[in-house]
Structure formats: structure tokens, C-alpha cells
Amino acid sequence: MSTVGPAAPATESAGGASDTRVIAVVGLAHGVSHFFQLILAPLFPWLKEAFGLSYAELGLTMTLLFVVSSIGQSLSGFLVDRVGPLRVMLGALGLFALAALVLAASPGYAALLAGAVLVGLGNASFHPIDYSILNARVSTRRIGHAYAVHGVTGNLGWAAAPVFLVGITQLASWRTAFAAASLLALVVLVVVWRNRALLEAPVRRAAAAAAAAAQPARSGDTFAFLRLPEVWLSFAFFAAYAFALGGVQTFAPEAARLLHGVRAEWVALCLTVYMLGSAGGSLLGGFLAGDADRAERVIGLCFGVAATIAISLGLAPWPGWSIPLLFAAMGLASGVANPSRDMLIRRAAPPGATGRVYGVVYSGLDLGSSLAPAAFGLLMDAHQPKLVWLGIAAAQAALIAGAFRAGRATRVRNAAPGTA
């Protein structure tokens, strides 16, 4: 007989104000985690000159960051379930602050690698943390909006990092920029600490209730969730998602320039409008995510649109001025799907294993993020920008199949005797 059942519903909070504060604090911390994912890349030109590094050596820092994050994320969910998400969040923010100080004081390449490892360790736990808190502390009727804001703040963190770091570097130095990033992490740590009562106690009660609702004698079933096919289908879904996004974030703008004659000053704009479109789409998608049963249909429609745009960018002739608009449209479609994507994973998490499930599933993001730059870079080196877009489209098409398969597996498990 199965010892796992459907995910426990989010608790009804004390009111809208309480929901809003929880969503805001978690969103702020999530934005910082995305900010630190890009703490190195915007400063590569300065670091290259300061230490005489090659592009390959600089790229290795990002690969190391995401490899550490991927391994750590699959393990951090167990820690979140054991000690609670608040403590882990505070520790992760502390790691970000320490990492930025190590980078600020770097005497050479080894210290940059050490800083990247610390960032990866801090980043590893954020999805298990965030979703454990949101699922337990935000009322059910607002959970879709919580997922939407969570996605938006992540996009804003990515958008803020280059402006913050490059702006301070131009005014002062790259060491000052890293030091300022450390201060930013500490400020957010203080905000989280001041809201600890709101974030911590209800989550612990919800976790205890979920554990009690599950089948008895679970001590030997810590890893039972790993036998659920929907967990691994969801892992593969997120790896494909990050692979497609990694292609967009790295070489898609340059591939579009080569294929469609995009003006040089518009190349960076393509990525900016994609992220803004994704942020706006996430807000819209929050309204569609209220009904968990239609999550797969929303994902299928949205990524169907995104894949169609990607295929057209690879095969059809487009005037250069239209390319930023197509990037924005693709970002909007992907963003609308994000809250439904998160709802799909929430449905797959059995009682008492939320942190573990999110840890394993979201480690797929780091896996995809670590593979995409090398794969699409090889296509660019082979002078095949068309294949970059077709590769992105293929990954987006795989998301559609993955969403329906994961949703079907969850429904079969929940309908089985002994899982209700």
C-alpha cells in the first residue's frame, strides 16, 4: 500500500494582509537569490582584465556555481523538511553575504571559484524554502498569485543584477560592487529575521499536521517520494525548462542578430524585453493558476505558442525591428505558464515531503542551466544559429509532453486506494 498521498493544501491565513506580507518577504528573498545567480557574469570584463583570465576560465565560475547549486538543491529539501525553511533561508542569505565578501577581497582566480561555490551553496536551497513557506502559509485562494509574484521577483532579481553591479563598478570599482552586494544580502537577512514569527511558526504546525495526516510508521519512508514517477517527470520538466531558458539567456539574441540582421544596440534589448514579458506574464498567469486541474492545459498552450515563435525565428525571415517584439511575446507566453508550472509541482508533493520534492525537482533547473551554455555555444561555434532556435523550440515542446505526463501520474497516484 502506498504511504504517500496528495499534497496538503495551504493553510488559510489570518487574512489578506498576512498573505501579502508572507508573499512580499519570500519574494524579496527569492529576488536576491536570482540576483546572486548573476553576481559574476556582468563583471566578467573587469575580472578578465584584473586577473588576466580567459573566457573559458570565467565561464567555469558560472558552471561551478550551478553544478554546486544543482547538487545542493537536491539535498537541501531534506534539510528544509527537518529544521524548517526559515532557518535555512537565513543561512542561505548569510552565505550570499559571505560569498560577496570573498569575491570583493579576491586576490586571484582561486578566490573567485571559492566565491562561486559559496553562491551555489546559498542558491541551492531557495526553491525548497520558498515553496515550503508559500504552500503552508498563504491561503489557498491566493496561492496562484503567490506563485506569480514569486516568479516576477526572480525575473526582477535577474534584471537588477547587471544594473546594480555594473553601475557601482563604473562609479567606484568591481570590489566595491561585490561589497555592496554583500550589504544587500545582509539587509534582506534582517528583513527576514524581523518577520520570522510570520514565516516560521505556522509552517511548523502545517508540517506537523501533514506528517500526522500521512500513513503511520513513516520512519523508513524518508525516500519514498523518490519512487513516485511524477517527481522524476517533474525533474525532467524543469531541466528542459532551464535548458530552453539558458538558450534564450546566452546565445539566442546573438543568433537572432546573425539570422535577421538585428542592430547591435538591440541585441541586449532582446533579453531585457523577454524578461519583462516573462514577469508580466507571470502576473497574468497567477489568475489562471487558481484551478490546479487545468495546469497542464495552460502549460501546453503557452509553451506551444513559445515553441512556435522559436521555430519561426529559426526558419522564417523576419525584419530586424520585429525581433525584440517576438522576444517579448515569447517571454510573455512562457511567463503565463510559470504559476501553473509551480502548481503542477505542488500537486505532485506528498504530505510531509514538500521540501524534499521541491529540492529534487528544482535541481533540474540547475542541471539545465549548466548544460545549455555549452550545448548552444557549440552550435554557435559551428555557425548554426538556426539550430540554436530549433533547439530552444525542441526543449519547449518537450515541456508540453512532460507537463501532461507528470499531471497524469499525479492523478493516478491520488486516485489509488490508500492515498486519499
Side-chain angles (χ1 to χ4, degrees), residues 24-410:
V25 174
V26 172
L28 177 64
H30 183 234
V32 169
S33 75
H34 278 236
F35 177 98
F36 271 81
Q37 288 175 21
L38 292 182
I39 192 173
L40 284 163
L43 299 184
F44 276 172
W46 289 271
L47 298 175
K48 185 177 188 299
E49 181 179 352
F51 298 118
L53 301 175
S54 67
Y55 288 111
E57 288 172 320
L58 290 169
L60 180 61
T61 63
M62 294 297 294
T63 298
L64 185 60
L65 187 161
F66 282 111
V67 168
V68 170
S69 182
S70 178
I71 296 171
Q73 188 155 198
S74 62
L75 300 175
S76 64
F78 293 89
L79 182 63
V80 169
D81 283 340
R82 178 172 293 273
V83 305
L86 176 65
R87 293 181 183 180
V88 184
M89 178 181 283
L90 292 171
L93 291 169
L95 282 171
F96 285 152
L98 176 61
L101 288 178
V102 169
L103 293 172
S106 296
Y109 184 56
L112 293 181
L113 294 177
V117 168
L118 290 172
V119 173
L121 287 173
N123 184 67
S125 58
F126 261 89
H127 284 114
I129 291 169
D130 294 349
Y131 288 107
S132 292
I133 294 175
L134 293 177
N135 286 341
R137 192 62 184 88
V138 175
S139 60
T140 302
R141 64 183 179 276
R142 296 189 182 91
I143 194 67
H145 303 298
Y147 291 162
V149 172
H150 186 263
V152 169
T153 56
N155 287 332
L156 293 179
W158 276 331
V163 176
F164 181 97
L165 294 165
V166 173
I168 294 177
T169 298
Q170 291 175 332
L171 291 174
S173 69
W174 61 267
R175 295 187 186 275
T176 303
F178 282 137
S182 179
L183 180 61
L184 174 65
L186 289 174
V187 169
V188 176
L189 189 153
V190 171
V191 172
V192 171
W193 176 254
R194 288 176 62 88
N195 288 275
R196 62 191 183 278
L198 181 67
L199 301 177
E200 183 178 36
V203 172
R204 288 183 173 175
R205 289 197 296 271
Q215 297 289 338
R218 292 181 50 119
S219 58
D221 289 333
T222 300
F223 298 95
F225 75 99
L226 293 176
R227 297 194 294 268
L228 298 173
E230 56 267 37
V231 170
W232 296 109
L233 288 169
S234 299
F235 172 88
F237 176 94
F238 274 88
Y241 174 85
F243 189 83
L245 179 61
V248 173
Q249 289 181 326
T250 53
F251 296 110
E254 179 64 9
R257 185 187 71 80
L258 295 174
L259 288 170
H260 305 290
V262 180
R263 293 167 54 181
E265 59 268 28
W266 286 4
V267 172
L269 176 64
C270 289
L271 183 56
T272 298
V273 297
Y274 178 93
M275 299 312 303
L276 291 176
S278 181
S282 292
L283 289 175
L284 176 60
F287 293 94
L288 300 177
D291 184 357
D293 291 332
R294 66 185 175 198
E296 300 100 304
R297 297 194 298 275
V298 172
I299 292 169
L301 176 62
C302 291
F303 282 113
V305 171
T308 300
I309 294 173
I311 291 171
S312 73
L313 282 165
L315 299 179
W318 288 97
W321 61 264
S322 68
I323 303 304
L325 298 178
L326 292 171
F327 267 81
M330 186 166 60
L332 178 67
S334 300
V336 170
N338 285 344
S340 292
R341 172 203 71 182
D342 297 332
M343 187 66 75
L344 190 72
I345 309 307
R346 178 173 179 260
R347 286 164 49 195
T354 300
R356 281 167 279 167
V357 169
Y358 277 98
V360 169
V361 167
Y362 275 84
S363 65
L365 283 176
D366 295 320
L367 176 63
S369 296
S370 64
L371 294 176
F376 288 112
L378 288 173
L379 293 176
M380 291 293 288
D381 287 338
H383 307 289
Q384 294 292 334
K386 182 182 301 184
L387 293 183
V388 169
W389 281 108
L390 296 182
I392 292 170
Q396 291 168 334
L399 292 173
I400 301 172
F404 280 96
R405 291 189 65 188
R408 185 182 307 114
T410 299

